[in-house]
Amino acid sequence: MKDLSKEIVKRIENIAQPVKIMHVCGSHEHTIMQHGLRTLLPPEVEVVAGPGCPVCCVPAREVEECLELARQGVTIATFGDMLRVPGGSGSLAEAKAEGADVRIVYGVNNAVELAQNIDNEVVFMAAGFETTAPTTAAEIVSGPPENFSVLSCHRMIPPALKFLIESGEVNLNALIEPGHVSTIIGNRPYDLFSEKYGIPQVVTGFNPMDVLIAVYLILKQLDEGKAFVQNEYKRAVREEGNIKAQKLLEEVFYITTKEWRGFPPIPDSVMDIKDEFSDFNAREKFDIEVGSIPEVVSGCICGAILRGVSRPEDCKLFRKECNPTNPIGACMVSKEGTCNIAHRYGSF
């Protein structure tokens, strides 16, 4: 394996050219940082992290919606990473410390089980990309108990990529596409970026060899003057994706335009629950009024980091006021957050 990695790095060096490659997966950033892959690449080959952490991308307004429900006495069930993500008036962890009923669950199925075993209303805060959204949809169509509902914070990767490409803010030249998301949506949703914008793309897995091979394949496309979607992760990703999961998403969700943390409203990028399942839509079931929400904590550049235009060490709070035990911004909260990863595995 060591000899093979050396061979791939040598091939990368032989065809290296100035390129900015963006990946959009917290697991990819974890692999890159943990194994020091950036130190193996020629200086002209830059790999930047984009909005690949689903918890980090949930805007303050949606956290605040959950806080409002918690203050109304609703039981909130969500992933552990969501507890310390800042809203406008605090976090779910702070609300829990003040007496709100906030429960950590490992998945939507656990939230349904919770609703079956208590009399109180239970709202599952459903954060995640296309990877986890099918599990939410599956529970909704299966007929959960009447005291269960979902506050959907599910987001879609391709619209965010389209926004980043067209904004020109990042000046990205190539994309490493997320393996987990691609198991659901397949390769085809990325075709536009190669066909219209001439961007080479590789769908890849999560071990160090996967990432190095993805970089090499991108450079090979550039060297040959090509741009297409290449699937390095064939052991898990099919061209068409998971058709059954896609049908579930189409059945339960409609696509709407909403902001992401650090982004303005991104067209057609968020999944919300269709009217026919409104009994399980927390936004329809409860009166939630959150007003104007400040999105940016003073000094925090989480938004710029999520857009791939800044790195954690560019932030004056990084490793000082902002650290994993005292996260100021969302990117420091989750283990998939770029700042949290950088804090754990050193500088870029």
Side-chain angles (χ1 to χ4, degrees), residues 131-144:
T131 316
T132 53
T135 62
T136 303
E139 291 293 345
I140 289 174
V141 298
S142 67

Side-chain angles (χ1 to χ4, degrees), residues 213-267:
I213 290 170
V215 172
Y216 169 68
L217 293 175
I218 283 170
L219 288 168
K220 193 168 183 289
Q221 286 190 43
L222 289 169
D223 188 58
E224 296 173 355
K226 297 177 180 179
F228 60 96
V229 183
Q230 201 163 357
N231 184 7
E232 186 273 343
Y233 199 30
K234 290 182 179 179
R235 60 189 186 271
V237 175
R238 295 177 294 181
E239 178 75 18
E240 70 279 9
N242 185 323
I243 301 299
K244 185 175 181 180
Q246 292 169 23
K247 288 181 177 178
L248 264 176
L249 295 180
E250 291 172 7
E251 181 181 356
V252 173
F253 296 110
Y254 70 93
I255 310 305
T256 186
T257 298
K258 286 187 179 180
E259 75 275 20
W260 296 36
R261 188 176 294 268
F263 290 76
I266 300 177

Side-chain angles (χ1 to χ4, degrees), residues 29-296:
E29 183 64 14
H30 186 277
T31 297
I32 290 166
M33 290 296 291
Q34 182 181 21
H35 298 278
L37 298 188
R38 287 187 177 93
T39 67
L40 301 179
L41 300 176
E44 63 267 38
V45 178
E46 184 180 4
V47 180
V48 300
C53 168
V55 168
C56 307
C57 291
V58 175
R61 173 173 293 278
E62 292 174 18
V63 176
E64 196 66 21
E65 287 178 318
C66 271
L67 288 171
E68 175 64 24
L69 290 170
R71 293 179 187 122
Q72 292 179 23
V74 173
T75 298
I76 303 296
T78 192
F79 302 118
D81 280 357
M82 279 302 315
L83 258 66
R84 294 193 295 167
V85 174
S89 62
S91 67
L92 286 169
E94 291 169 338
K96 182 178 176 66
E98 293 166 1
D101 189 7
V102 180
R103 313 282 186 100
I104 295 174
V105 294
Y106 293 104
V108 61
N109 59 313
N110 297 140
V112 171
E113 291 169 4
L114 175 63
Q116 290 169 340
N117 289 295
I118 66 173
D119 294 330
N120 202 31
E121 289 284 345
V122 174
V123 169
F124 175 64
M125 187 182 187
F129 296 134
E130 293 95 334
T131 316
T132 53
T135 62
T136 303
E139 291 293 345
I140 289 174
V141 298
S142 67
E146 291 182 0
N147 64 328
F148 172 82
S149 57
V150 171
L151 194 141
S152 177
C153 305
H154 287 304
R155 281 163 164 73
M156 302 166 65
I157 286 290
L161 293 176
K162 185 173 186 289
F163 177 89
L164 287 169
I165 293 166
E166 293 183 344
S167 75
E169 186 182 23
V170 192
N171 294 318
L172 62 90
N173 309 109
L175 286 163
I176 293 176
E177 301 294 4
H180 292 141
V181 166
S182 300
T183 61
I184 303 299
I185 67 174
N187 300 336
R188 293 168 187 163
Y190 310 124
D191 285 341
L192 170 72
F193 309 139
S194 294
E195 294 167 359
K196 185 174 180 179
Y197 305 104
I199 292 176
Q201 302 174 80
V202 176
V203 177
T204 198
F206 304 98
N207 66 52
M209 292 296 295
D210 284 322
V211 177
L212 286 175
I213 290 170
V215 172
Y216 169 68
L217 293 175
I218 283 170
L219 288 168
K220 193 168 183 289
Q221 286 190 43
L222 289 169
D223 188 58
E224 296 173 355
K226 297 177 180 179
F228 60 96
V229 183
Q230 201 163 357
N231 184 7
E232 186 273 343
Y233 199 30
K234 290 182 179 179
R235 60 189 186 271
V237 175
R238 295 177 294 181
E239 178 75 18
E240 70 279 9
N242 185 323
I243 301 299
K244 185 175 181 180
Q246 292 169 23
K247 288 181 177 178
L248 264 176
L249 295 180
E250 291 172 7
E251 181 181 356
V252 173
F253 296 110
Y254 70 93
I255 310 305
T256 186
T257 298
K258 286 187 179 180
E259 75 275 20
W260 296 36
R261 188 176 294 268
F263 290 76
I266 300 177
D268 303 324
S269 65
V270 174
M271 290 176 265
D272 212 340
I273 299 168
K274 287 183 175 179
D275 288 345
E276 49 264 47
F277 299 103
S278 60
D279 288 348
F280 305 114
N281 184 348
R283 291 187 176 97
E284 297 292 331
K285 193 173 187 179
F286 301 96
D287 181 24
I288 309 174
E289 292 290 339
V290 296
S292 178
I293 303 300
E295 185 64 51
V296 179

